[in-house]
């Protein structure tokens, strides 16, 4: 079947803050919070594999994950994406452009087969050959689902309400103080030093 802030330097910069936020004494109000959160999003993506910087699972690993989920119950593509995203705590969700070709491959390999449903969505169930394949790769499958569970656990630890509240407050404080017209180089370095001190304290926890 085919389917169609992690800095410790103190270099003085006139036009850029120490955390890569474009700035100046006459900077517009509202720009600081946006640049701060964009920087944090890039930092998180780089270290946790989001934003397309690295693949969370390679092709053979994703095939096993999809096959195991289909063994649990017949599923269609969207169900599989949603289930993986839920199990990883929102940290990972494969794209349709990856999932549907993988389903096609599983079908071609005889590991899954399409089930007739009333709707237009193509639902797949595991075959006897697919069950045998999972049995042969049982340890690998268990390790892959342990990785998914760890992603979910890590996401829960790093995306909790108190952290989001604190980040929001920090962004608002930066926007308010650094959006004023009296910002000079000394204030910029003092603010950066405060943030760096907080970073160092967090790293020592």
């Amino acid at each position: 079947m085919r389917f169609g802030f992690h800095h410790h330097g103190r270099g003085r910069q006139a036009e850029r803050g120490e955390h890569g936020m474009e700035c100046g004494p006459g900077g517009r109000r509202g720009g600081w919070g946006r640049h701060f959160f964009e920087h944090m999003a890039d930092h998180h993506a780089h270290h946790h594999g989001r934003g397309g910087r690295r693949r969370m699972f390679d092709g053979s690993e994703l095939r096993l994950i999809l096959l195991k989920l289909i063994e649990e119950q017949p599923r269609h593509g969207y169900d599989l994406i949603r289930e993986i995203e839920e199990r990883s705590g929102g940290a990972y969700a494969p794209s349709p452009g990856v999932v549907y070709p993988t389903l096609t491959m599983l079908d071609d390999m005889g590991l899954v087969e399409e089930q007739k449903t009333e709707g237009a969505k193509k639902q797949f169930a595991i075959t006897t050959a697919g069950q045998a394949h999972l049995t042969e790769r049982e340890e690998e499958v268990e390790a892959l689902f342990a990785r998914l569970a760890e992603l979910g656990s890590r996401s829960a630890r790093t995306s909790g309400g108190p952290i989001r509240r604190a980040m929001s407050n920090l962004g608002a404080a930066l926007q308010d103080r650094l959006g004023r017209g009296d910002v000079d180089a000394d204030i910029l370095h003092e603010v950066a030093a405060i943030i760096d001190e907080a970073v160092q304290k967090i790293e020592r926890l």
Side-chain angles (χ1 to χ4, degrees), residues 22 29 32 43-45 95 118-119 124 137 161 165 178 195:
E22 294 183 1
R29 177 180 296 272
W32 290 92
H43 178 82
H44 181 79
S95 70
E118 294 182 359
F124 290 89
R137 311 287 288 276
R165 175 194 55 75
L178 301 181
I195 296 173

Side-chain angles (χ1 to χ4, degrees), residues 7 17 36-37 41 44 55 74 84 109 113 143-145 148 159:
H7 301 264
F36 171 73
F37 284 112
H44 181 79
R55 297 179 65 181
I84 292 173
M109 294 169 67
E113 60 185 2
L144 290 172
F145 276 81
L148 272 180
S159 302

Side-chain angles (χ1 to χ4, degrees), residues 17-35:
E18 289 189 6
H19 295 284
M21 299 180 292
E22 294 183 1
C23 57
R28 292 181 301 176
R29 177 180 296 272
W32 290 92
R34 176 174 62 82
H35 286 300

Side-chain angles (χ1 to χ4, degrees), residues 1 6 41 56 68 72 76 84 86 91 152 162 205:
M1 178 64 62
H6 194 77
M56 193 70 68
K68 180 61 177 178
E72 293 179 356
H76 52 71
I84 292 173
E86 182 176 334
L205 292 176

Side-chain angles (χ1 to χ4, degrees), residues 189-200:
H189 290 292
E190 185 174 353
V191 170
I194 292 170
I195 296 173
D196 281 334
E197 182 181 359
V199 169
Q200 293 167 17

Side-chain angles (χ1 to χ4, degrees), residues 44-154:
H44 181 79
H46 178 74
H47 289 281
H48 297 285
R50 303 186 70 174
R53 296 183 184 235
R54 68 176 178 85
R55 297 179 65 181
M56 193 70 68
F57 298 98
D58 65 28
S60 62
E61 291 173 335
L62 184 60
R63 285 198 299 273
L64 287 175
I65 290 172
L66 297 182
L67 188 60
K68 180 61 177 178
L69 292 175
I70 292 172
E71 182 193 40
E72 293 179 356
Q73 67 181 67
R75 302 178 191 267
H76 52 71
Y78 177 71
D79 283 338
L80 291 163
I81 295 171
R82 183 175 57 187
E83 184 68 19
I84 292 173
E85 184 174 19
E86 182 176 334
R87 295 195 186 204
S88 68
Y92 171 63
S95 70
V98 172
V99 168
Y100 285 105
T102 303
L103 286 173
T104 295
M105 182 177 296
L106 289 171
D107 189 23
D108 289 344
M109 294 169 67
L111 304 181
V112 300
E113 60 185 2
E114 184 180 345
Q115 280 191 336
K116 292 185 178 180
T117 61
E118 294 182 359
K121 295 179 179 178
K122 294 179 173 63
Q123 180 171 283
F124 290 89
I126 196 167
T127 63
T128 301
Q131 291 173 331
H133 185 70
L134 286 178
T135 298
E136 293 174 358
R137 311 287 288 276
E138 183 175 2
E139 291 186 3
E140 186 176 352
V141 171
E142 289 180 356
L144 290 172
F145 276 81
R147 280 171 58 188
L148 272 180
E150 173 57 24
L151 283 173
S153 177
R154 184 189 307 160

